[in-house]
Amino acid sequence: FKILYLFYLTGIRLAPKEKLDIPLLFMPETMKMYEAVVVIHVMRENGENWPYEDSAELNKDLKSSVTLAENGGIQGILWKYPVHGIPEVPQQKLVPAVVRCRARQRVERRVEVQLTGVAAGATAVPGMRNSAMLNTNKPANVQEVQVTDGSLTTVEFLYELQYQSDEIKSQLESFVGLHLVQREQDTESGSETLTFNIVFAPNKPMRNEATLVVQCTTGGVWKFPVLFIAMEPEVDDVINIEAVGLNKESIVGFKLTSQTR
């Protein structure tokens, strides 16, 4: 709670339909997730209880949300809100990694990214895979890797390419492949260097940006810009038509093959 701190408020009067803003301060020192719970306890200002005839028959979920008085009424109501503090490296003006290729060709490029502030020796947060910021509902777009430095500590990463819009995603997603091929650890600085292999095989000219998002299962998030450029394709062939005479048609035939159905 030195990092994720919820201010303790008491004696606040709330009118019906009134809103309450709860201050939250988050200043992480390491790239890992912190957890806390916001607990709100409401009681009547006049000290009276809310009547409830069957207080003894309350179900388990409701019993955990109320405090019962000796006379069987409800003395207070509890709301509990879990809070996850996930540190993210501030967006910097990084020079994007450029992946350039002619349309209808294929290129592979290695891209290195440095993850600063990785929590050394930290263990994965339970349930982090399901609550990660990455879109884990689409496993085809999210890759997971387990890397180890030879000790008992295993660090897991989730990574994916995120796009600025659904239109850009539809243009790029089927033409781009991403795979983590190497990891290096600097124990002195506590940083990690990940090397990705990016495959780009566009079928038409385009220029679109994407963001490589890397998340450690301990909670840290890093983002790196990537620029994909597909240039005009090479000329397939040159068609020569020879004239057979003035005011006479000359015909030449050639085949076009569709790459899809």
Side-chain angles (χ1 to χ4, degrees):
F1 283 96
K2 293 182 180 179
I3 307 300
L4 184 58
Y5 181 73
L6 302 179
F7 296 90
Y8 182 75
L9 305 177
T10 183
I12 298 176
R13 299 175 61 184
L14 288 178
K17 304 295 183 180
E18 188 177 357
K19 294 182 179 180
L20 172 65
D21 292 329
I22 300 177
L24 173 65
L25 180 64
F26 183 44
M27 296 186 300
E29 295 178 350
T30 58
M31 295 293 289
K32 65 178 182 180
M33 187 176 75
Y34 298 84
E35 297 179 279
V37 178
V38 179
V39 180
I40 301 174
H41 188 203
V42 176
M43 302 175 63
R44 281 186 171 182
E45 186 178 14
N46 57 12
E48 296 181 359
N49 300 327
W50 285 281
Y52 194 87
E53 296 179 357
D54 299 327
S55 58
E57 301 297 330
L58 291 176
N59 58 48
K60 293 182 179 179
D61 294 335
L62 191 55
K63 281 184 178 179
S64 62
S65 302
V66 298
T67 54
L68 300 177
E70 295 180 357
N71 59 4
I74 296 178
Q75 185 178 18
I77 304 176
L78 287 173
W79 287 272
K80 298 179 182 180
Y81 300 94
V83 178
H84 288 177
I86 301 178
E88 181 176 323
V89 175
Q91 289 287 350
Q92 303 174 356
K93 294 183 178 179
L94 299 175
V95 177
V98 180
V99 183
R100 193 189 311 267
C101 179
R102 283 188 178 273
R104 301 206 306 267
Q105 292 186 3
R106 182 179 183 274
V107 68
E108 294 189 23
R109 181 182 172 183
R110 297 289 179 94
V111 174
E112 288 188 357
V113 298
Q114 187 175 23
L115 312 182
T116 57
V118 179
T123 57
V125 178
M128 190 61 187
R129 295 181 188 176
N130 298 327
S131 61
M133 292 176 62
L134 299 183
N135 187 5
T136 53
N137 293 328
K138 297 182 179 180
N141 299 332
V142 178
Q143 306 289 334
E144 177 181 328
V145 63
Q146 296 184 4
V147 290
T148 178
D149 56 2
S151 63
L152 297 178
T153 302
T154 299
V155 181
E156 296 184 10
F157 292 99
L158 300 172
Y159 59 90
E160 69 169 340
L161 283 172
Q162 293 182 353
Y163 306 96
Q164 296 178 343
S165 64
D166 292 338
E167 181 181 358
I168 296 178
K169 181 179 179 179
S170 63
Q171 294 177 2
L172 274 177
E173 190 174 32
S174 59
F175 307 135
V176 177
L178 179 67
H179 182 62
L180 180 62
V181 294
Q182 188 177 354
R183 172 250 188 174
E184 294 181 0
Q185 184 181 30
D186 188 343
T187 55
E188 294 183 358
S189 63
S191 63
E192 301 267 354
T193 300
L194 304 183
T195 303
F196 292 91
N197 185 54
I198 299 179
V199 179
F200 186 37
N203 66 349
K204 60 181 179 181
M206 66 177 69
R207 182 187 179 94
N208 290 317
E209 294 183 357
T211 302
L212 172 58
V213 182
V214 181
Q215 181 174 4
C216 183
T217 51
T218 58
V221 177
W222 298 262
K223 296 182 179 181
F224 306 93
V226 183
L227 177 61
F228 293 93
I229 301 176
M231 300 172 293
E232 291 289 338
E234 295 182 352
V235 175
D236 293 283
D237 201 356
V238 177
I239 300 173
N240 295 316
I241 304 178
E242 296 183 2
V244 295
L246 294 176
N247 298 321
K248 293 183 179 180
E249 293 182 351
S250 296
I251 300 176
V252 63
F254 58 92
K255 294 182 179 180
L256 297 179
T257 302
S258 175
Q259 296 182 356
T260 65
R261 293 185 181 275

